[in-house]
Amino acid sequence: MASNLLAGLVPSLYVRLTRQTGRGAGEEVPDDIAGYCMDSFTDYFDRLGVPRDDVEGWLRGKTALEYGPGDVPGVALLMLAHGAEKVWCVDRFSLVRLSDKNVDVLRQLLARLTPEQAARAEACFARPGDPASGLRADKLEYLVRPSGMSGLVGNVDLVYSRAVLEHVNDLDATYADMRRALRPGGVAIHLVDLRSHGLHRSHPLDFLCWPSWLWSLMYAYKGVPNRWRLPHHLVAARSAALQVDTPVVTAQLDAASVQAVRPCLDRPFRGLSDDDLAVQGFWLICRPMEGRMAGAAP
Ligand SMILES: C[S@@+](CC[C@H](N)C(=O)[O-])C[C@H]1O[C@@H](n2cnc3c(N)ncnc32)[C@H](O)[C@@H]1O
């Protein structure tokens, strides 16, 4: 609770003290991080059903919004390299750092691109070709907002995130924010990780047993999982006037495991079905409902 208070009062000090990267505590080398960014990028288009050869055609001239890029905007750079016109990255915490290591990640990404893609990416740096000079704000704009909201209205074609929606402090507001940001015909794609992020004790779901008020007292300002399960995401997306494709579940617990934790669950999770509780991660793709904005009556 004391560290939660510190995170609430001085978030910048908290993220520096805990050396947060957004990718967990493990030590990684730039080559691995670049590989992770490449995989994240291709995963989005594979899931959207865009053939790899068509990604540049699909992205050309489009704008994108990324929630929670972590400490290196590698995926955003790849969007620009493949023809996106502009990318906004929004985060609740100021994590992006142009450390030597992260500059090396950006260099390794450039080395993995075709000459045309690399030229597009290099033109996006403040000093063309020099990742250490940072990115031009007219190409990649980093928005740090305590609310985590982009505040964009109707100017985004693609919204994406990976391992972020399970951390946002106000899930309903985040879906409404992405709905407002999207242009008609735009699409949002998210990979959500519902595991405990190391905050369980003896059962992978026992972090759902803490009373909500206590969970909030311990963690509200730290960006740890908000604990919302798949049904809440679906309701939040639909209430925000987003049409949702059938989610693709990426990991699941077995029925016996869910039964074992059921007796201790906190109130918001008691009414969930075994199948919903079993979901440990999912892909969600949503599109703006025509003629309806977030917050409008159904
Ligand atoms: C687990 S990290 C994932 C980072 C990156 N997407 C990746 O795949 O490595 C979660 C990210 O979400 C950010 N985040 C937390 N709450 C947020 C919010 N309300 N809005 C936007 N970003 C948020 C964190 O600061 C962090 O950058």
Side-chain angles (χ1 to χ4, degrees):
M1 286 181 208
S3 57
N4 187 42
L5 202 60
L6 176 72
L9 291 173
V10 210
S12 54
L13 178 64
Y14 176 76
V15 296
R16 238 179 306 129
L17 287 177
T18 52
R19 302 176 67 195
Q20 303 213 11
T21 64
R23 290 177 311 281
E27 210 35 71
E28 305 159 286
V29 294
D31 193 46
D32 293 340
I33 304 170
Y36 174 82
C37 294
M38 295 293 285
D39 290 345
S40 303
F41 178 80
T42 47
D43 281 352
Y44 290 126
F45 294 99
D46 288 352
R47 286 282 152 196
L48 287 170
V50 180
R52 296 206 177 167
D53 289 349
D54 293 348
V55 169
E56 288 192 24
W58 192 94
L59 265 178
R60 191 173 306 127
K62 289 203 163 108
T63 54
L65 165 63
E66 175 172 357
Y67 287 94
D71 70 337
V72 56
V75 179
L77 184 68
L78 292 174
M79 294 285 172
L80 294 165
H82 286 78
E85 182 57 35
K86 171 159 185 173
V87 183
W88 288 269
C89 291
V90 63
D91 208 307
R92 179 181 171 191
F93 302 107
S94 179
L95 293 189
V96 168
R97 301 261 171 280
L98 281 181
S99 60
D100 291 347
K101 181 174 169 179
N102 287 348
V103 168
D104 204 6
V105 172
L106 299 179
R107 288 212 174 93
Q108 303 234 7
L109 286 174
L110 293 175
R112 292 171 188 225
L113 298 172
T114 66
E116 294 77 23
Q117 293 163 352
R120 268 188 231 118
E122 282 170 349
C124 297
F125 294 117
R127 271 193 308 277
D130 178 8
S133 65
L135 281 131
R136 285 168 37 193
D138 61 326
K139 285 291 173 188
L140 194 155
E141 199 170 334
Y142 186 45
L143 310 168
V144 178
R145 305 266 164 80
S147 66
M149 303 300 136
S150 73
L152 299 173
V153 182
N155 44 0
V156 173
D157 300 292
L158 171 68
V159 176
Y160 63 94
S161 78
R162 187 181 187 103
V164 175
L165 293 189
E166 71 272 20
H167 296 281
V168 303
N169 37 335
D170 188 339
L171 193 62
D172 301 84
T174 302
Y175 277 103
D177 183 60
M178 76 181 76
R179 169 65 184 92
R180 274 191 299 274
L182 279 168
R183 281 196 178 113
V187 63
I189 177 163
H190 304 283
L191 179 59
V192 185
D193 178 357
L194 293 187
R195 290 171 300 174
S196 76
H197 294 55
L199 295 175
H200 70 279
R201 288 168 296 169
S202 57
H203 183 287
L205 283 183
D206 65 14
F207 71 115
L208 303 182
C209 296
W210 296 101
S212 301
W213 62 268
L214 189 51
W215 185 261
S216 186
L217 264 179
M218 293 190 292
Y219 296 121
Y221 300 113
K222 292 183 175 180
V224 305
N226 51 37
R227 306 197 299 172
W228 292 118
R229 308 284 96 190
L230 174 57
H232 191 93
H233 284 259
L234 298 179
V235 169
R238 288 178 186 136
S239 309
L242 288 161
Q243 192 181 309
V244 184
D245 290 2
T246 306
V248 175
V249 171
T250 53
Q252 240 168 330
L253 292 173
D254 58 53
S257 206
V258 171
Q259 284 301 328
V261 80
R262 198 172 260 296
C264 89
L265 290 176
D266 186 26
R267 194 181 300 271
F269 313 112
R270 286 180 205 156
L272 296 177
S273 70
D274 286 359
D275 284 349
D276 285 336
L277 282 167
V279 175
Q280 291 280 277
F282 59 90
W283 281 99
L284 200 68
I285 295 178
C286 23
R287 298 178 172 81
M289 286 179 193
E290 274 180 34
R292 279 191 54 206
M293 281 304 283

